[in-house]
Amino acid sequence: MNLLFLLCVLCLTFTGLCEGAGVLVDDLLNAPVGGKVLFTTKLTPQEPHVTVQIVIWNFGTLNIITFTGSNITTPGYEDRITLFISSGSLELRKLSLDDSGDYSVSIISSGGESQTGSTTLRIYEPISNVMITTSSPDLVEFISSVHLSCSSSGSSPSFHWLNGSSEVTASDRVQITDGGSNLTIFNVTRYDQGTFRCRVVNPVSNGTSDPVFLSVSYGPGRVQITGPREIDVKHTLTLTCSAESTPSASYTWFLNTTEILSDSAVFTKEVTEFSDGGSYTCTATNNVTGRRSTAVHALSVIVKQPPSCNSGCIAGITIACCVVVGLCASGLYFVCRRRKQPINLSHGDTRTGGGIQNSVASSSNQDVTYENIDFLQKQDGKPVQLE
Ligand SMILES: *[C@@H]1O[C@H](CO)[C@@H](O)[C@H](O)[C@H]1NC(C)=O
Ligand SMILES: *[C@@H]1O[C@H](CO)[C@@H](O)[C@H](O)[C@H]1NC(C)=O
Ligand SMILES: *[C@@H]1O[C@H](CO)[C@@H](O)[C@H](O)[C@H]1NC(C)=O
Ligand SMILES: *[C@@H]1O[C@H](CO)[C@@H](O)[C@H](O)[C@H]1NC(C)=O
């Protein structure tokens, strides 16, 4: 009887080794050091006419527990396993790295049916102490490169770098080396400024470092002076200088070539004089990048005559002028008519000064008055000979 049973056990053990997951649900299980794992079989305890008669659990070639109505447990497993007799499932606790390996089970039910299964258990040290060390977090745009190195405890770590909330991807400027644990950013730009973190993952846990803030100094660029190009004398002048710069730029003002103000983004002159006109220069300086940049702004100081009346008034004056001119013209006409003494100038008369003759001939009015002739004489500077 005993011999027969042992033969059965041996037979089941060997057939179990030859099958895949078989009666077990998982063919691979991951668990952390210090944790626990449940090897679950596919047998359902609900079937009342089927009961488990024999269960044998092995770790590699080492027997863990054999149940044949009562349990035989191998020393070292007594206080850290539970065998669930209804299904043949086994719980293993207080896991250590040494528990990594292949597990197999053989089960004989009341019907005499035998089933086997095997699975692999991998034990990992959980990830902890994720930390970044960095060369220097204070950087200058286009000049600095920065090196970040990530370290952690735990087995089989895989490294990921986070730039804000998105993952860093490698490029010609961004290198990820040493299995991902080192990040180098060459020739940083202002857009690299921000929070970087390292995230380490293994199959049983994950961990994220404290953030490291990379600060990138840049500029000054796009220096600009805003303010009027023209100002009335005695009015208040305000010019403002701005630039793209981190840290903020300091500003120095020049009028033509003379320094007029330093350390201020705003230049103000309460009462503008004519001598305040000219070429204003603002120099922006970034003390960290050591760079400077300038902008120039021309200003004219002018006198603007205050308008004496509004447009309605101007219209009134215009109409009045027209009326006056009209009256004068008609008055003159009547005066002329009265004093008019017609004289006969025959065409082809012998006058000197052909230019004048032409001028007279071209006149629409054929009647030439003495006044006209006086005028013509004066213009020509010579007497006109009349017949
Ligand atoms: C031994 O078998 C019984 C069922 O008879 C079970 O309840 C018990 O948990 C087992 N003991 C161990 C140490 O697995
Ligand atoms: C960084 O900038 C320097 C100088 O501008 C250039 O020679 C070098 O190729 C750049 N490096 C990378 C990786 O872009
Ligand atoms: C970080 O993200 C910004 C966009 O948010 C991007 O412009 C920059 O190139 C990124 N830097 C690195 C090193 O990934
Ligand atoms: C990281 O670990 C937490 C628990 O520590 C878990 O809830 C989360 O799903 C894990 N994330 C990944 C991607 O493994």
Side-chain angles (χ1 to χ4, degrees):
M1 174 66 194
N2 256 355
L3 190 66
L4 187 68
F5 166 71
L6 272 176
L7 280 173
C8 269
V9 168
L10 277 174
C11 158
L12 284 173
T13 302
F14 287 118
T15 51
L17 286 175
C18 302
E19 308 223 342
V23 76
L24 295 177
V25 171
D26 308 293
D27 51 11
L28 177 65
L29 287 162
N30 298 313
V33 167
K36 62 182 184 183
V37 67
L38 178 63
F39 299 109
T40 310
T41 69
K42 293 171 186 169
L43 300 184
T44 47
Q46 282 80 8
E47 296 170 57
H49 58 284
V50 180
T51 55
V52 169
Q53 299 288 299
I54 299 171
V55 180
I56 303 156
W57 274 100
N58 289 335
F59 172 46
T61 55
L62 174 72
N63 182 251
I64 299 171
I65 186 169
T66 300
F67 171 82
T68 55
S70 62
N71 307 319
I72 307 161
T73 304
T74 302
Y77 285 102
E78 292 103 339
D79 59 342
R80 58 189 199 104
I81 57 168
T82 299
L83 178 65
F84 298 93
I85 271 319
S86 54
S87 66
S89 299
L90 181 74
E91 185 184 77
L92 184 58
R93 297 179 294 271
K94 298 181 191 167
L95 295 168
S96 73
L97 290 173
D98 293 339
D99 291 319
S100 291
D102 296 327
Y103 290 78
S104 59
V105 63
S106 300
I107 298 167
I108 297 176
S109 343
S110 55
E113 198 188 336
S114 76
Q115 285 167 293
T116 61
S118 65
T119 189
T120 300
L121 177 65
R122 288 192 190 140
I123 308 296
Y124 295 89
E125 203 87 68
I127 299 296
S128 61
N129 295 324
V130 182
M131 278 190 308
I132 293 178
T133 50
T134 178
S135 47
S136 163
D138 295 318
L139 309 164
V140 174
E141 189 176 40
F142 308 133
I143 290 178
S144 304
S145 296
V146 63
H147 183 78
L148 303 173
S149 184
C150 185
S151 65
S152 71
S153 310
S155 43
S156 305
S158 71
F159 297 89
H160 304 269
W161 290 94
L162 299 174
N163 168 9
S165 56
S166 56
E167 187 157 351
V168 174
T169 49
S171 66
D172 49 356
R173 208 170 57 77
V174 179
Q175 277 182 14
I176 298 173
T177 53
D178 299 293
S181 63
N182 286 324
L183 171 68
T184 309
I185 309 169
F186 294 99
N187 298 350
V188 296
T189 72
R190 65 193 68 182
Y191 307 106
D192 294 325
Q193 170 160 311
T195 303
F196 285 77
R197 281 175 299 172
C198 171
R199 189 176 153 73
V200 184
V201 178
N202 74 7
V204 297
S205 67
N206 59 68
T208 304
S209 71
D210 285 338
V212 165
F213 188 79
L214 296 185
S215 134
V216 180
S217 302
Y218 62 88
R222 292 173 186 265
V223 184
Q224 224 179 338
I225 297 174
T226 48
R229 299 243 164 235
E230 217 176 57
I231 190 161
D232 290 349
V233 67
K234 305 295 179 203
H235 282 216
T236 298
L237 169 66
T238 303
L239 296 175
T240 306
C241 191
S242 61
E244 290 180 357
S245 180
T246 294
S248 296
S250 65
Y251 301 98
T252 306
W253 291 88
F254 297 85
L255 172 53
N256 300 320
T257 53
T258 310
E259 182 175 327
I260 48 172
L261 179 66
S262 64
D263 273 333
S264 173
V266 181
F267 172 77
T268 308
K269 186 78 193 288
E270 285 294 330
V271 181
T272 309
E273 305 295 340
F274 285 112
S275 58
D276 294 322
S279 176
Y280 284 82
T281 303
C282 163
T283 300
T285 308
N286 182 323
N287 288 331
V288 175
T289 64
R291 294 171 193 154
R292 66 179 48 190
S293 196
T294 63
V296 179
H297 184 92
L299 179 79
S300 321
V301 180
I302 57 163
V303 184
K304 206 188 274 174
Q305 292 293 352
S308 53
C309 68
N310 61 23
S311 57
C313 158
I314 288 168
I317 286 173
T318 309
I319 291 167
C321 286
C322 290
V323 167
V324 168
V325 167
L327 285 175
C328 287
S330 48
L332 202 64
Y333 175 76
F334 284 115
V335 169
C336 292
R337 282 293 285 250
R338 273 192 184 189
R339 292 179 59 187
K340 186 172 153 191
Q341 284 187 303
I343 47 168
N344 292 322
L345 280 175
S346 59
H347 289 284
D349 60 358
T350 57
R351 287 202 304 171
T352 57
I356 294 166
Q357 190 185 5
N358 283 346
S359 142
V360 170
S362 68
S363 168
S364 59
N365 191 350
Q366 297 286 328
D367 299 333
V368 179
T369 63
Y370 281 121
E371 278 107 313
N372 289 352
I373 291 168
D374 285 346
F375 170 74
L376 292 173
Q377 282 176 322
K378 278 174 194 155
Q379 286 286 307
D380 193 37
K382 291 177 186 173
V384 175
Q385 293 177 351
L386 300 173
E387 281 195 328

